Each structure stands twice: as structure tokens, then as C-alpha cells.
Amino acid sequence: LNRKCFEVEFRAHVPDKKWTELDAAQHRAHTMRLLDSLEVIAREKRLKVARAILYMAQGTFEECSTEAEVQYWMRYNIFLLLDVGTFSALVELLNMEMDNSAACSSAVRKPAISLADSTDLRVLLNIMYLMVETIQQDDPADKPEWKIIRETFRAELGSPLFNNEPISVMLFSMVTKFCSGHAPHFPMKKVLLLLWKSILFTLGGFEQLQSIKVRKREELDLPPLPEDSIRVVRSMRAASPPASASDLIEQQQKRARREHKALIKQDNLDAFNEKDPYKADDSREDEDDNDDNDNSIEAETFPLERDEVMPPPIPHPLAERVSFPKGLPWAPKVREKDIENFLESSRSKFIGYTLGNDTNTVVGLPRPIHESIKTLKQHKYVSIAEIQIVKEEEFQKTPLSGGEEDVDMSATELLYQGILPSLPQYMIALLKILLAAAPTSKAKTDSINILADVLPEEMPTTVLQSMKLGVDVNRHKEIIVKAISAILLLLLKHFKLNHIYQFEYMAQHLVFANCIPLILKFFNQNIMSYITAKNSISVLDFPYCVVHELPELTAESLEAGDNNQFCWRNLFSCINLLRILNKLTKWKHSRTMMLVVFKSAPILKRALKVKQAMMQLYVLKLLKVQTKYLGRQWRKSNMKTMSAIYQKVRHRLNDDWAYGNDLDARPWDFQAEECALRANIERFNSRRYDKSHSNPEFLPVDNCLQSVLGQRVDLPEDFQINYDLWLEREVFSKPISWEELLQ
């Protein structure tokens, strides 16, 4: 359809040549023509032109014979479209469609919304998505002028250029409008994908986050990071999951059949492997996956779990090999507070008095304690957040002498300022959609309908059509989960780096909107089958489908699915959601207790079955924070999980996570903790962003008689009417002793 629209326009001007045969000037001229026609008033005509532009963004595929060619022309056409100003025209049209009250009211009245209700919106969002996604991918082969266009576009997207707000803020408002029920026809999947890619492009992904973090630490004169976490996680190995009781019985029967005479050791964690865990383990690369007979049994019971969910290893140059300290992947960390607590408890134990937060006086303490303190100080880690909190306290204490705060107007700062007024509504809306898209959700009558942009007008009539629609609906939901999980994680990470209280504000609203139980509910399913779900039809994927002849789709071929063993999309979503849960609960006692209260341990333990190192790491982190509250029996029966935590998660030197002797005797008061945090956040937000309520006490006073009397004061109307009465009462009837007054 897009191709036909393009060819009608194109043939009218260039009857005898192909698009790929024209030169740059002709390409540009035709693109400008299309852009001009996008301004027409007639809706039908506008849609046809938009489709022609979409065909260009899809790489004018009719004239290409390979996928690489399609991708080459996509990139070429998209830079051309961007250069002539297509994106701002699309934003204006999108705004117009968003405010199209006729479409909204007809959609609200319809009993069933289908694809037909959102055609115009979908075409516009498609072009915008293709543009953002193609341009955000950095290609070293790009021309220098393209590189300049790319950087300019990145800055424009993140700044309030298009209708006075960053593009992400406009998309967020579409999400809330959809969730409030005023615009049920909005194609949510496309909006969320565009929102995710816009945030990713304007703020940067994990690699950029890492470099911003390094730069900020340098600016604050903090020691460099002990390691690059991205690279450490990349080189981690997955551990085999703890076997369930039925598997153990099965294994015992098989062993008996084999008459295994030798001593049988407990089914070990792969990474342990007979070796001493404290030795630097450099032979990791050549270990085979079936290290010993015991594990090959497991291979028979779980054909899937034996394959680590890992891409083929990328051959790293030797310099890039991460050297592991003593078999543990992470350097241990200690907080200033931990050193203070340790010293205080040692002082009260050995000397009988305390010194407050003095971490240097060690008089009267025995020698081993001196050494402990030395070790703790060696591993002391000061985070950027701690410094930001201290600075904020100073600003609050000394609003006048503290001087003006120098706020760096980065893309993150601009986005925060844009979404600050309605941030709670945005978070609730995202979580509502996430709930509706989660595979564990039952279709309730009150939940929102997220399938508006996947259900056709005519419901399927044949088995094949309904199977295809089934796959499509599931794929659709998976993509929505993927986009929301990525949006939330990216925002949390960027806000945390930009200012800790921006992060806390967003995190707190997620917690208030029940994000913690929602994510646990999401994981309370068969995660193994979610990660191996085959909800895609690879022959229909773009650009494969436009270059190759489509084979005949049959119910059998759909049933068989493609031959990918894992669904990367779902693995990505799971890891993101686990990381969000970690971000929300880290160092927050009351939120950690929520994990315990919602019985997250068995849910998380089941998630360990997925043999992918990164996913296991974040599950183990979540188990580590609550281990001491799960009781001795749990720890006893989960020793394998305990040793996995010991091996894979960073150690906090005097953190008693495994035994729970100190068992945080303090009762956990969720409300008190959250209220204290909320007060800090509100003080920060009003100090930095609320210019109207600045304290009148601190405003400069005008002492000049001329200017004070010269100011025009608007008096209320009733005063003007009763002016004579006021004069009589306040002036004439009061005796004034002028002599005294003048003295």
C-alpha cells in the first residue's frame, strides 16, 4: 500500500526512472515535493503522502534485492528526510491528530476498537520511529555531514524545540490520555516504542551512562570506579539452577542404574567446578559445559537449561580480559556509615564510650581492630549520590550564603523538568499498561484495552487467521512489556546520575503505584516458558518479508515456529524488570521488607532456572537483601543459592547478610521511612523548580522612598466605592499630633 502511494506520486514527476537511479539533487527535490503535499487540508490526500514518505523510510524496498540494500537505502532516505525537515512536520501532524476530538469521541463510543481507528496515527508514528531508531544507531561509515545532522537531531529531540517540550514529554502525555480513557484508539505499542527510543537516543544507553558516571566522579574528585560493571557481567558464567525434588529422585534412580561406585558430590554450581573458589580462575574459557558425569544427567532432564542463554562468545583481545580478583568478580565496597558503625560498636565494647561520627581516633582499641579499620578504609566507596545529598542539605540550611546552584542543563535535566508536573500520573499510566500486557494478567473488564492497534476490523474466520492473530497479540504484549521495562530502567538510571532526589521522586511514585508487587506478579509464571516463547513469525519480519517471496503460511508452519531457542525480547524484559526491582529496594529497609512480605523468595528462586548470567545476578541480588529475614530453615535448605550469591554478588565487607544475627531489630515502619524521604524530595523540588513559592523572608526589600511611593498599587473595587468612609474613619476622625510625628 505504501509502495503504491509512493509510485503514484513519483511517476507523476519522474515517469521513466527508478528512485535508486536518480542523483542527490533529484532525490532532494522529490522529497521536498512530498513534504509540501503533507500540508494539504484533505485528510485522504494527506494520508497517501504520509504513506509515500513511510515507503521512503522503509528503504524503497521494491528496487532492492537484498536486506543489506534495503538497509542502505533506509539510512540514505531517512537522513534525506531529516535534512529537509520532515520530523518537525510529523510532530505538528501528530499533535493535530492527538487533539482530533472527533476521532477520540467516536473511539470512546465504539464497542470494539480496531486497527482502522488509528491508521493516521500509526503511519505518522511509524515514520518517526524508523527515523529515530535508524539515526540513533551510530554507523562508523556515515558521512561527516550525516554525523553533524545526527548530533543536531539528538539535541533537538531532547530540548523543548518541538512545541515547547522535549518529544518524550509529548509522548508521555499520549500515554496518560490513553490510560484515562479519553483516547482508547491511540496505538500504544508504537507510542511506547517511540518513547523508549527517544529517551535512549537523547539521554544515551548504558555505555553512555557508564562514561557520564566516570566523568562525574572525576569532576567531584572521587576515586575511579573499581571496575566496569558492563564488562564484568559480560564475562560472567551462568550457574546451573538448584534441582527440584523430582529431578533429584530421577537422578538418584539413574545413578543407581549406573551403579556409580565413586563418591557422588552434590550437583554443583557450574562456575564452582571442583576448583578452589578462591583461586583466580583463568581456565574458564576452556571448561566444557558437561564437566562431569553428574551434570550430564541434568542435560538429559533439561535439554533447554543446559544451553546457556548466551550469544556466541565475542573473541576479545587479550587486553580486554577482565582479571578477576581471587575468583570473585566484584571488588568489595564499604560505606562511610559502615565504618562509623563498626568503630562505634568496637569503642563501646572495648572502651565503654562512643565518639559520634569520628572515624580516625583509634586510641585504646586492640591491634586487630586497627587492621580491620585499615581494610575497611581501603575499600571505602563514596557514591555520587552521597555527595549530592550532602550538598542539598547545605543548600537547605544556608539558602542565602549557599549561593546559586549551577544546574547543568543536560537532556536528562530538561526531561525531568518536562515531566515533573505530571510524573505520578505518567508512572501510574505506564504500570497500568504493564499490568494489562503481563502474561499473568487475566482479562478483567476494568483493565485497559491495549490491543486497539493489533485487532483487525474483521475478526478471523479460518484456523490459520486466528493462529496468526494469536501470535500477533502475544508478540504485541511482549513488545509493550519490553518497551515499558526499558523506559523505566533508563529513566531511573539517568535520574539517579543527574540528581539522587530526581531518582527518589520517580522511584517513590513507582512504589506508591504498587510497582513491587506488580513485578513479582509478573515473575510468578513459568519464566522458562516465557523466555522460550515463540511469538514471532520470522518470514513476516521486516526487511525479510519485502525482499523474499513469502512462503505459503500453514497452520503447521506457524505451530512449528522459528528455530530460535530463546526469545531475546522476553529475556531483555525480565532482566530490566529485575533491575528496576533492585533499584527500588536497594538500601531501603521498608521496601526490602515488602519483598519478604510478598513472599518473593520462591518466585525469585524459580527465576534462577534461566541459565543466563546477567539475569541470575539480579535475582541473586534480590535474594541477598532478604536472606537474613527468611529464617534459618530457608538458608539451610537453599545452600546452593547461598553459595551462588557469595560467588556472584558484590560483597559489602561488614554486611551480615547470610546469618542475620543483628536481625535489624528495628521495627520497619513503611510510612515513617517513606514520609521522611518524601519530605526531602519535596524540599528539593520546591527549592530547585518552584520559583513561585520562594520564601518572602529572603526576598530583597526595597528601602527607597521614591520608588516605594512611585509604585502603582491597584486598590480593590469595594475600597474605591467606600473611599469617603475610609477617609472619615481612618484619617479625619483620628486626632494626629503632627509635632510628635515630625519629631
Side-chain angles (χ1 to χ4, degrees):
L1 188 59
N2 299 343
R3 193 188 80 220
K4 279 179 191 152
C5 292
F6 176 81
E7 282 177 352
V8 168
E9 294 284 326
F10 188 59
R11 290 283 159 257
H13 298 284
V14 189
D16 51 350
K17 275 193 172 177
K18 285 183 170 179
W19 172 257
T20 47
E21 295 165 359
L22 301 183
D23 60 20
Q26 290 168 304
H27 279 153
R28 197 179 175 86
H30 187 67
T31 313
M32 301 283 270
R33 265 198 300 271
L34 281 177
L35 197 54
D36 285 344
S37 337
L38 205 54
E39 306 281 311
V40 294
I41 296 171
R43 200 186 183 85
E44 294 301 313
K45 172 82 177 127
R46 215 174 39 229
L47 181 61
K48 280 183 180 154
V49 176
R51 281 197 180 282
I53 292 177
L54 176 54
Y55 176 70
M56 280 180 69
Q58 287 170 335
T60 48
F61 49 79
E62 182 61 18
E63 297 158 33
C64 305
S65 51
T66 63
E67 289 187 32
E69 252 184 279
V70 175
Q71 282 168 340
Y72 167 80
W73 280 104
M74 267 178 86
R75 203 166 177 82
Y76 174 86
N77 292 344
I78 280 172
F79 272 103
L80 178 63
L81 286 167
L82 184 63
D83 198 22
V84 297
T86 316
F87 200 83
S88 38
L90 292 172
V91 174
E92 280 173 28
L93 281 175
L94 185 63
N95 250 325
M96 203 171 77
E97 286 298 335
M98 273 167 61
D99 301 335
N100 180 350
S101 49
C104 291
S105 53
S106 80
V108 171
R109 284 198 302 272
K110 268 193 178 179
I113 298 170
S114 70
L115 277 167
D117 296 294
S118 60
T119 313
D120 300 38
L121 277 166
R122 282 198 335 272
V123 172
L124 295 174
L125 287 164
N126 257 343
I127 308 171
M128 290 165 81
Y129 177 80
L130 283 170
M131 289 178 80
V132 173
E133 168 62 358
T134 307
I135 293 165
Q136 71 111 3
Q137 289 171 359
D138 194 6
D139 187 347
D142 280 350
K143 297 180 247 182
E145 58 265 31
W146 282 11
K147 290 196 163 86
I148 297 166
I149 294 176
R150 181 173 185 265
E151 286 312 309
T152 315
F153 184 50
R154 182 206 297 270
E156 285 173 354
L157 270 188
S159 64
L161 180 75
F162 305 111
N163 58 310
N164 305 326
E165 56 188 9
I167 196 87
S168 311
V169 180
M170 172 182 159
L171 294 167
F172 263 125
S173 63
M174 284 184 83
V175 176
T176 42
K177 198 169 176 189
F178 169 80
C179 279
S180 62
H182 295 314
H185 64 300
F186 279 1
M188 242 334 90
K189 181 189 80 175
K190 286 183 166 43
V191 173
L192 289 166
L193 278 173
L194 181 57
L195 177 56
W196 164 34
K197 295 296 182 179
S198 307
I199 293 173
L200 183 61
F201 184 38
T202 50
L203 308 191
F206 292 155
E207 300 279 352
Q208 284 100 318
L209 267 164
Q210 192 74 10
S211 53
I212 297 171
K213 193 172 187 175
V214 169
R215 194 193 72 229
K216 282 211 164 180
R217 288 187 72 82
E218 279 172 9
E219 286 169 6
L220 296 169
D221 293 328
L222 292 173
L225 294 165
E227 68 273 291
D228 179 344
S229 51
I230 300 175
R231 277 171 53 192
V232 176
V233 173
R234 264 186 201 151
S235 50
M236 261 191 185
R237 292 276 316 265
S240 56
S244 62
S246 56
D247 306 333
L248 288 171
I249 293 166
E250 215 171 301
Q251 286 177 19
Q252 279 167 0
Q253 289 167 349
K254 286 189 181 174
R255 282 179 193 159
R257 285 205 294 277
R258 282 201 219 146
E259 295 176 352
H260 209 46
K261 295 283 189 296
L263 265 172
I264 295 165
K265 70 176 189 327
Q266 187 191 13
D267 203 22
N268 61 9
L269 285 145
D270 270 15
F272 244 42
N273 229 19
E274 303 286 39
K275 295 190 181 57
D276 184 345
Y278 294 96
K279 299 249 168 57
D281 185 7
D282 273 318
S283 53
R284 282 196 329 280
E285 263 58 304
D286 40 55
E287 262 175 43
D288 218 285
D289 236 351
N290 31 8
D291 336 72
D292 55 87
N293 303 338
D294 295 354
N295 275 356
S296 56
I297 299 167
E298 204 178 294
E300 291 157 33
T301 40
F302 295 116
L304 262 173
E305 283 168 16
R306 294 303 311 158
D307 293 313
E308 283 193 22
V309 189
M310 269 299 206
I314 308 152
H316 283 300
L318 281 173
E320 275 216 1
R321 274 286 302 279
V322 183
S323 55
F324 281 68
K326 291 281 184 293
L328 293 174
W330 305 99
K333 285 181 180 175
V334 183
R335 292 189 297 173
E336 180 79 43
K337 207 161 111 194
D338 299 330
I339 302 179
E340 282 171 23
N341 293 347
F342 176 70
L343 262 169
E344 289 297 78
S345 62
S346 307
R347 283 176 190 143
S348 57
K349 189 169 163 187
F350 291 106
I351 318 173
Y353 67 87
T354 58
L355 286 176
N357 40 6
D358 170 357
T359 55
N360 296 322
T361 313
V362 286
V363 179
L365 294 175
R367 192 62 191 273
I369 299 285
H370 287 220
E371 289 184 8
S372 304
I373 291 162
K374 192 177 155 198
T375 310
L376 289 176
K377 284 190 173 174
Q378 267 175 353
H379 292 288
K380 188 169 99 169
Y381 174 80
V382 181
S383 68
I384 297 174
E386 288 170 63
I387 291 186
Q388 287 171 340
I389 289 173
V390 172
K391 279 189 179 168
E392 184 57 30
E393 280 171 3
E394 283 169 14
F395 276 123
Q396 299 290 357
K397 269 187 215 153
T398 56
L400 290 175
S401 58
E404 276 296 303
E405 185 184 11
D406 183 22
V407 181
D408 174 26
M409 279 300 168
S410 59
T412 313
E413 183 62 37
L414 290 168
L415 178 61
Y416 183 74
Q417 290 181 13
I419 64 175
L420 177 65
S422 322
L423 189 132
Q425 290 88 306
Y426 296 154
M427 294 306 115
I428 290 169
L430 285 178
L431 293 182
K432 264 188 178 175
I433 300 173
L434 182 61
L435 178 65
T440 46
S441 299
K442 302 284 168 283
K444 292 195 185 75
T445 43
D446 57 344
S447 72
I448 42 183
N449 173 22
I450 49 171
L451 301 177
D453 54 332
V454 68
L455 296 177
E457 273 186 293
E458 302 294 323
M459 272 324 211
T461 46
T462 66
V463 175
L464 180 64
Q465 282 174 340
S466 51
M467 276 181 77
K468 201 166 142 186
L469 184 63
V471 169
D472 213 11
V473 165
N474 286 337
R475 169 177 173 273
H476 190 83
K477 286 182 171 178
E478 286 173 5
I479 292 174
I480 287 179
V481 173
K482 173 183 180 175
I484 292 179
S485 69
I487 289 167
L488 292 175
L489 182 59
L490 274 173
L491 287 179
L492 285 170
K493 284 185 82 73
H494 277 285
F495 286 159
K496 188 167 185 185
L497 256 187
N498 201 44
H499 199 292
I500 182 67
Y501 283 132
Q502 295 178 348
F503 160 80
E504 293 292 8
Y505 184 52
M506 177 174 164
Q508 190 164 52
H509 279 294
L510 285 173
V511 173
F512 289 164
N514 277 340
C515 184
I516 295 176
L518 170 62
I519 294 179
L520 292 173
K521 181 182 177 185
F522 179 90
F523 278 96
N524 196 10
Q525 56 166 315
N526 184 343
I527 283 291
M528 215 47 215
S529 66
Y530 183 65
I531 279 177
T532 51
K534 291 186 168 35
N535 287 317
S536 59
I537 307 166
S538 52
V539 290
L540 295 182
D541 286 345
F542 180 86
Y544 182 93
C545 60
V546 291
V547 180
H548 302 274
E549 277 298 309
L550 277 192
E552 182 65 33
L553 280 179
T554 61
E556 287 73 38
S557 68
L558 282 188
E559 188 74 43
D562 51 18
N563 51 6
N564 289 344
Q565 273 207 298
F566 295 96
C567 176
W568 285 110
R569 171 171 55 226
N570 293 352
L571 184 65
F572 175 82
S573 311
C574 289
I575 293 174
N576 285 346
L577 290 169
L578 287 167
R579 292 182 75 167
I580 292 165
L581 205 47
N582 264 302
K583 284 250 172 285
L584 297 181
T585 51
K586 193 175 179 181
W587 302 124
K588 303 274 190 302
H589 180 57
S590 57
R591 294 179 194 173
T592 305
M593 294 310 289
M594 280 173 83
L595 289 178
V596 180
V597 171
F598 288 128
K599 297 191 171 47
S600 64
I603 298 174
L604 293 168
K605 239 188 83 183
R606 280 203 302 276
L608 277 177
K609 282 196 171 167
V610 180
K611 281 198 60 184
Q612 204 276 339
M614 191 171 186
M615 178 153 165
Q616 285 184 343
L617 172 70
Y618 290 107
V619 173
L620 293 170
K621 276 187 171 187
L622 285 166
L623 284 168
K624 179 182 171 178
V625 289
Q626 49 175 321
T627 305
K628 55 180 163 193
Y629 309 111
L630 295 173
R632 193 169 162 190
Q633 191 49 48
W634 188 91
R635 296 197 287 274
K636 212 165 138 187
S637 48
N638 289 287
M639 278 318 288
K640 220 180 299 173
T641 309
M642 297 286 281
S643 53
I645 293 175
Y646 179 84
Q647 261 194 299
K648 290 198 176 339
V649 183
R650 187 192 302 280
H651 289 266
R652 297 272 167 181
L653 284 185
N654 38 3
D655 173 18
D656 192 10
W657 66 270
Y659 309 106
N661 297 330
D662 58 342
L663 243 176
D664 267 334
R666 52 190 177 141
W668 58 290
D669 182 351
F670 179 76
Q671 265 180 319
E673 280 188 37
E674 295 294 343
C675 285
L677 180 60
R678 190 176 191 168
N680 285 339
I681 296 167
E682 280 176 357
R683 277 200 294 272
F684 163 77
N685 278 338
S686 68
R687 179 187 70 77
R688 213 194 233 196
Y689 303 109
D690 194 359
K691 295 295 175 241
S692 57
H693 294 298
S694 46
N695 193 334
E697 299 286 314
F698 298 142
L699 291 176
V701 179
D702 186 355
N703 293 325
C704 171
L705 202 59
Q706 297 304 113
S707 73
V708 172
L709 290 176
Q711 278 175 10
R712 207 195 132 83
V713 181
D714 287 328
L715 299 167
E717 207 172 308
D718 52 347
F719 177 80
Q720 291 174 3
I721 297 167
N722 303 317
Y723 180 58
D724 311 349
L725 283 172
W726 181 83
L727 271 177
E728 188 61 49
R729 195 179 67 223
E730 298 292 328
V731 184
F732 302 144
S733 63
K734 288 199 173 172
I736 297 172
S737 163
W738 291 102
E739 280 78 13
E740 280 182 38
L741 191 67
L742 289 171
Q743 277 170 13

